[in-house]
Amino acid sequence: MNQLIPPFDFERVFLAPWTQHFELTFWIVLMGFLVATACGLVGNYLILRRMALVGDAISHSILPGIAVAFLLANSRGTTPMFLGALAAGVATTILIEAIHKRSRVKQDAAIGIAFTSLFALGVILISLYASKVDLDQECVLYGEIGFVTPLTQPVVTVGGLTLGPVPVVRMAVVTLVTGLLIAMFYKELLVSSFDPALAFSLGINATVMHYALMCWLSVVVVSAFEAVGAILVIAMLILPGATAALLSQRLPVVLLLTVVNAALSATTGFHLATWLDCSIAGAMVVMAGVLFCLAWVFSPTQGLLPRQWQRTRTNTALSAPEWIH
Amino acid sequence: MTRSLKFALPVLFTLCAALASAHADRIGDLGEVTIREQALRFVSLQDPTVRYAVLGSVLLGITCGLLGSFIVVRKMALVGDALSHAVLPGVALGFLWHTSKDPLAIFIGATVAGLLGTVVVGLVQQTTRLKEDTALGMVLATFFAVGVCLMTMIQRLPTGNKSGLEKFLFGQAAAIGPDDLQLMAVVTGLTLLAVFVLYKEFLVTSFDEGFARASGFPARVIHYTLMLLLAGAVVIALQAVGVVLVSAMLITPAAAAYLLTDRMNRMLWLSAGFGMLAGVAGAFFSFLGPSLPTGPFMVLGATAVFGGAFFFGPRHGLVTRWWRQRSRAQRVQRENTLKSVYHVLEGRQFQGEGVSLRELAERRRETVEEARQQAAELCRHALATLHEEGNLIFLTPAGWQLACAIVRNHRLWELYLTNAAQIAADHVHEDAERIEHVLGEEVVRELERRLDYATQDPHGRPIPSWADLRQGAAPNVRPDDTVGYGSSI
């Protein structure tokens, strides 16, 4: 056990990364923040629509899309990867709908069947073409956020100005566009998430919104893929949004809290990983989980403790003698 | 939906084609002989590795199929998915216990972690506003992340030997050893026992929890018993299928069985059978080539079974349903044609010879070409014969009988609606048009009895009587016409 958990050293865990390895630390934390923000913002709408597990499904079934794109384009270029991911995302959505609307299989089972089949296909493709597809199965699952720094990645420069490593810049663009899209289609997303019938009467096509959301989800997932891997993307999709939902009931506040949550879990997660010397993406998710637990227990309106306290107070007040006249 | 299906199919075909070509490539690499030798080695079962793999896959298929049926009908299919990810920290801790691959320690650790996961899902749902899907996804992700952290920490240990752990990700049936097999047999035995002994309890709590509680079944205890068994099944499946795809072994065979039957006991049999089939198929295909993972092939096997049930299931299959609808529509079309022929004949008091295509077309307000097609369709079913270069229709005895029966159904129903339901005579035609094709013989006799064997419909036209039908021949059939000119069309 002593070997497993290294001794806690404030200097090593909190100060050294920022003073000695600033270049590494900054980009990794920034990448974690961007991934958690983009995923969290989209994830909020998944939670509202009770489609959290569709996000899970898409984050898995993107694998064959990427594998096929690699095989066809023969490169790790961004465009084929995005196109493959989009195609896979749409295919998953259509498959799920086809299975559960065209037969008596329920939606949950349909999700399970669709994404496992596609994921299996992806794993087989990759293992058959292991030499041609430069894709590590484990990397696909876990991701490696440590490789996003300028030390291992080419750097984007625009007009002499150094912006940063390619994956981080790409993720930043995706995150910004996510924010913009949500701002632009705020009303449409809101109405179609809460009340599809009202959306229809307002002239908003809920089906189009559904597919658009799924497409954008695929784009976000594939860009987050490299950093956190397929399975931890689902954590980033659900955890920040779920934590925010425990703290507020107003969507704008929830969206804002999601961003704050993303920043907190990225930073604390990085330090946790430095301390325990473990997977950085994993530690970020663990911290997001810890934040959720905190909100679950202490949330002022819905937390376990405040509610318990309120109940005790009400009971005491009711049983107080002065109430009985 | 039809449109989205049209989109989905090409995508699927492309993927399948990609897979097929991938396979071909592989076979080319290996050489024909090796594949055949490997296949023979597998089929002959002489190799102990193969025997273990096959036996393991069979046990796994049975356990997952049985338990999967219950979670599919409980609409908790994705609990399997959440469980399979949630067991990871347990696997890591169990591994740490002996710093080696001790199946029992890993099994206990994983089962405890899995159960803990389901308890947390239940708690989150009970105490917050978050819905089931969010709770499941959250537990899945957080537990998995803890597992990932633990695994990376274990790999760093000087004593750590991670070789066994990697197999848990994608599964390798060939890695199943005698120890694992013992564990699988125990879990399968327990599952069979539980399903056999607690069948009624599982059944009632699955379909009507309120009723189960009211009848005094401890619904929560049964729920967690199922979860415990499920966690056990997930853990034994991990080794063969891998973390990500365990849920497929739970969901897909059960969903396929669900499409084929309405009875729970049959569903359990079918589902266990499908699970076994998929398991052995997966073990077989992954055995053919070096470093081919077992899990994905098992899953694709299960998906193929599901696809078969989805498209060709006798009752709910997509193709079956389409075919049934098509043949029904064709029958209705034929009956309407026959009815029109009857009307033409009736219009000239059953005089004259046959019905020309032109008359039929006028009656049906269609082109002669369309009438010709319909006449040909009648010929194909031996309801009519065509004469004079296919321009004259003669009904065969069977055709005449059917035509009479349809007209009779129509007119009896009209009469019944006007007499019994007091509907105006000019409003009953549309309804009779629809029902004439589905009235059974029994109902018609009952209608006749209730209408006092009336002979005229509300519009004053005669109703063909039972005797007309039994007479068996159209008044204008040429007796010598057994094989008409057009019957070869």
Side-chain angles (χ1 to χ4, degrees):
Chain A
M1 266 313 176
N2 285 340
Q3 279 177 320
L4 194 68
I5 301 176
F8 182 76
D9 175 3
F10 185 81
E11 170 72 27
R12 185 179 73 83
V13 172
F14 284 102
L15 298 181
W18 295 100
T19 51
Q20 290 168 26
H21 313 287
F22 180 78
E23 190 78 330
L24 268 171
T25 311
F26 174 73
W27 292 114
I28 291 174
V29 172
L30 182 65
M31 185 68 178
F33 166 69
L34 290 172
V35 166
T37 308
C39 290
L41 288 177
V42 177
N44 269 316
Y45 289 99
L46 296 183
I47 294 174
L48 284 180
R49 290 164 174 247
R50 302 190 188 171
M51 291 181 0
L53 291 167
V54 177
D56 180 28
I58 287 188
S59 64
H60 281 90
S61 54
I62 271 182
L63 187 67
I66 295 180
V68 170
F70 276 6
L71 288 177
L72 292 182
N74 242 328
S75 79
R76 288 189 72 164
T78 312
T79 321
M81 199 165 78
F82 273 95
L83 287 180
L86 263 182
V90 173
T92 318
T93 319
I94 291 172
L95 262 182
I96 293 174
E97 302 245 320
I99 292 176
H100 99 100
K101 290 214 174 123
R102 290 271 158 167
S103 75
R104 51 198 209 133
V105 172
K106 305 292 180 298
Q107 200 195 7
D108 58 337
I111 293 175
I113 293 167
F115 92 80
T116 50
S117 311
L118 287 174
F119 188 79
L121 206 59
V123 175
I124 290 175
L125 280 179
I126 291 178
S127 64
L128 284 172
Y129 288 101
S131 52
K132 287 188 204 164
V133 182
D134 186 16
L135 246 182
D136 186 5
Q137 291 171 0
E138 279 182 59
C139 179
V140 162
L141 276 185
Y142 301 140
E144 197 35 84
I145 202 170
F147 290 153
V148 302
T149 58
L151 301 181
T152 45
Q153 291 283 348
V155 174
V156 183
T157 42
V158 178
L161 191 71
T162 311
L163 283 179
V166 174
V168 181
V169 172
R170 195 167 56 205
M171 194 67 224
V173 172
V174 170
T175 312
L176 275 180
V177 176
T178 309
L180 272 179
L181 284 175
I182 288 180
M184 274 164 63
F185 296 103
Y186 183 78
K187 188 185 75 183
E188 284 82 354
L189 277 168
L190 183 75
V191 177
S192 64
S193 299
F194 279 104
D195 195 342
L198 177 65
F200 184 73
S201 68
L202 288 175
I204 300 166
N205 191 333
T207 319
V208 170
M209 290 312 286
H210 175 73
Y211 277 94
L213 188 64
M214 291 300 118
C215 284
W216 193 247
L217 175 66
S218 316
V219 170
V220 170
V221 167
V222 74
S223 35
F225 213 64
E226 198 165 4
V228 291
I231 293 169
L232 298 182
V233 164
I234 169 78
M236 296 303 194
L237 282 171
I238 300 179
L239 280 169
T243 313
L246 290 183
L247 295 172
S248 171
Q249 306 214 19
R250 298 201 41 80
L251 192 57
V253 184
V254 168
L255 291 176
L256 196 69
L257 282 173
T258 307
V259 179
V260 175
N261 190 310
L264 275 178
S265 37
T267 324
T268 50
F270 178 80
H271 289 298
L272 182 71
T274 319
W275 172 32
L276 298 176
D277 191 13
C278 65
S279 153
I280 300 171
M284 284 178 179
V285 174
V286 171
M287 283 321 290
V290 170
L291 288 177
F292 174 82
C293 289
L294 289 179
W296 188 13
V297 177
F298 297 110
S299 158
T301 48
Q302 303 162 57
L304 292 178
L305 272 187
R307 271 201 313 198
Q308 183 60 41
W309 186 60
Q310 210 157 16
R311 213 171 296 146
T312 329
R313 209 174 46 168
T314 319
N315 285 349
T316 334
L318 283 176
S319 60
E322 58 262 36
W323 279 86
I324 306 159
H325 291 297
Chain B
M1 254 341 283
T2 331
R3 209 186 314 145
S4 58
L5 201 73
K6 270 182 202 153
F7 274 118
L9 286 179
V11 172
L12 260 184
F13 282 134
T14 326
L15 288 176
C16 291
L19 181 66
S21 63
H23 217 72
D25 224 66
R26 191 83 218 176
I27 290 170
D29 289 352
L30 278 172
E32 198 76 25
V33 188
T34 331
I35 288 273
R36 193 173 299 153
E37 274 174 3
Q38 284 287 79
L40 273 178
R41 234 180 101 201
F42 186 90
V43 175
S44 64
L45 291 178
Q46 274 166 356
D47 203 323
T49 326
V50 177
R51 275 206 297 272
Y52 290 144
V54 169
L55 204 55
S57 311
V58 166
L59 291 176
L60 162 78
I62 294 175
T63 318
C64 287
L66 288 178
L67 295 173
S69 300
F70 287 110
I71 64 167
V72 164
V73 298
R74 281 171 177 236
K75 296 176 198 154
M76 326 194 303
L78 291 168
V79 170
D81 188 32
L83 261 177
S84 61
H85 290 82
V87 295
L88 196 66
V91 171
L93 284 181
F95 194 77
L96 204 60
W97 193 261
H98 277 272
T99 49
S100 69
K101 211 177 123 248
D102 177 8
L104 194 64
I106 291 180
F107 179 78
I108 293 173
T111 312
V112 170
L115 259 191
L116 195 66
T118 56
V119 171
V120 175
V121 170
L123 277 180
V124 169
Q125 264 179 275
Q126 276 165 27
T127 58
T128 69
R129 293 183 302 131
L130 298 173
K131 299 295 175 296
E132 192 193 8
D133 61 329
T134 311
L136 279 176
M138 229 176 50
V139 168
L140 175 162
T142 317
F143 274 58
F144 191 79
V146 173
V148 168
C149 287
L150 281 173
M151 299 249 289
T152 45
M153 283 153 78
I154 290 171
Q155 282 170 20
R156 183 167 51 70
L157 288 181
T159 48
N161 169 16
K162 62 170 187 140
S163 60
L165 274 179
E166 275 177 351
K167 299 281 180 235
F168 281 102
L169 281 181
F170 294 104
Q172 192 56 269
I176 295 176
D179 295 353
D180 303 311
L181 216 52
Q182 268 176 5
L183 203 61
M184 284 180 155
V186 170
V187 173
T188 310
L190 279 179
T191 307
L192 280 172
L193 190 73
V195 170
F196 191 68
V197 174
L198 297 174
Y199 177 70
K200 191 175 68 186
E201 283 78 2
F202 281 151
L203 188 70
V204 175
T205 50
S206 298
F207 285 100
D208 195 340
E209 206 175 328
F211 172 72
R213 276 177 211 275
S215 324
F217 287 105
R220 184 155 301 172
V221 175
I222 293 165
H223 174 82
Y224 281 111
T225 312
L226 188 61
M227 289 299 122
L228 180 69
L229 289 170
L230 210 54
V234 163
V235 179
I236 60 163
L238 278 184
Q239 189 156 42
V241 195
V243 170
V244 188
L245 294 173
V246 168
S247 53
M249 287 307 285
L250 288 167
I251 301 171
T252 314
Y258 185 61
L259 289 180
L260 296 179
T261 175
D262 288 335
R263 303 199 63 83
M264 192 67 201
N265 49 2
R266 271 181 222 154
M267 182 173 162
L268 288 171
W269 282 112
L270 276 175
S271 173
F274 290 158
M276 256 161 57
L277 199 71
V280 175
F284 175 72
F285 281 113
S286 76
F287 193 71
L288 290 183
S291 81
L292 283 181
T294 317
F297 280 108
M298 283 191 184
V299 172
L300 287 190
T303 309
V305 173
F306 177 80
F310 182 74
F311 287 112
F312 304 109
R315 235 178 315 167
H316 304 289
L318 216 55
V319 174
T320 327
R321 267 196 322 219
W322 170 78
W323 183 254
R324 210 159 37 204
Q325 267 163 17
R326 203 181 91 112
S327 54
R328 194 176 298 149
Q330 282 175 343
R331 182 173 63 83
V332 167
Q333 171 80 16
R334 278 200 304 278
E335 290 178 355
N336 283 338
T337 315
L338 281 175
K339 196 172 62 180
S340 301
V341 171
Y342 183 95
H343 284 152
V344 172
L345 288 171
E346 188 182 44
R348 44 180 211 232
Q349 277 82 41
F350 302 104
Q351 301 299 312
E353 291 225 322
V355 174
S356 73
L357 284 182
R358 174 183 280 281
E359 280 174 306
L360 179 65
E362 271 171 17
R363 175 78 213 173
R364 294 185 60 80
R365 296 198 180 86
E366 286 171 348
T367 63
V368 174
E369 207 39 53
E370 281 167 329
R372 191 186 303 279
Q373 279 170 16
Q374 281 157 15
E377 180 69 19
L378 288 186
C379 282
R380 209 170 300 136
H381 286 81
L383 296 170
T385 49
L386 291 185
H387 301 268
E388 299 182 9
E389 309 202 331
N391 281 320
L392 209 56
I393 307 166
F394 282 85
L395 294 184
T396 63
W400 167 250
Q401 206 172 331
L402 191 55
C404 283
I406 291 296
V407 173
R408 177 160 161 264
N409 288 356
H410 183 97
R411 294 184 177 168
L412 274 176
W413 189 254
E414 284 188 341
L415 190 62
Y416 177 70
L417 285 184
T418 42
N419 285 8
Q422 315 287 324
I423 295 175
D426 52 345
H427 280 64
V428 292
H429 178 73
E430 290 302 318
D431 195 43
E433 271 299 290
R434 280 200 296 273
I435 206 155
E436 64 193 11
H437 303 288
V438 290
L439 281 182
E441 193 54 45
E442 297 254 318
V443 182
V444 172
R445 303 301 294 273
E446 177 69 19
L447 274 179
E448 262 184 338
R449 201 179 54 72
R450 290 206 182 186
L451 296 168
D452 291 330
Y453 302 95
T455 50
Q456 285 205 326
D457 77 353
H459 311 293
R461 287 172 308 198
I463 298 175
S465 68
W466 181 241
D468 282 335
L469 260 80
R470 298 306 294 270
Q471 189 186 327
N476 58 343
V477 157
R478 298 182 198 167
D480 55 316
D481 258 351
T482 40
V483 181
Y485 166 83
S487 60
S488 60
I489 287 177

